[in-house]
Amino acid sequence: MPRIMAFDYGTKRIGIAVTDPLQIIATGLETIHPKDIVEYLKKYLVKEVVELFVVGEPKQMDGSPSQAAPMIKGFITILKKHFPLVPIEMMDERFTSKMASAAIAQSGLKKMDRRDKSLIDTISATIILQSYLEKNSR
């Protein structure tokens, strides 16, 4: 079965997570600089089949789009341009960074390792993807 890939988009880093081939478990894959994402995905898609991209959708507490929404739209435009055969869905990403930080704090990692922002982005993407899987398994 093909995989599902999720993104936690940021202007400095994009956290990436992917499912196992059975689409049961979400696993953090990598954190990439936005300028490198297209090349990274081209290489990845040569090796693995991905049937869906899930992009974290930043929202305010009231559900309205956040200030980052236009940047996310730009990222989606890039994905559609370079990978037109892969459908894209949005997934609410509210609280994922806080959840990722809490998970890291409880992980037992050393203090310096817990400050690694790229780790937060990768775990945030994993949480987005796992939330997507749970929402769509019902």
Side-chain angles (χ1 to χ4, degrees), residues 17-32:
V18 69
T19 63
D20 62 299
L22 297 176
Q23 299 181 3
I24 297 170
I25 299 169
T27 304
L29 187 61
E30 187 102 35
T31 301
I32 300 291

Side-chain angles (χ1 to χ4, degrees), residues 63-106:
S64 64
S66 78
Q67 297 113 338
M71 291 180 285
I72 301 300
K73 287 193 188 308
F75 175 59
I76 289 172
T77 300
I78 290 168
L79 289 176
K80 285 180 179 178
K81 176 183 173 189
H82 292 278
F83 311 101
L85 300 178
V86 182
I88 300 169
E89 290 194 32
M90 304 291 288
M91 186 70 201
D92 187 348
E93 69 171 25
R94 283 179 285 188
F95 306 114
T96 56
S97 292
K98 284 189 167 85
M99 291 165 62
S101 295
I104 291 167
Q106 295 172 356

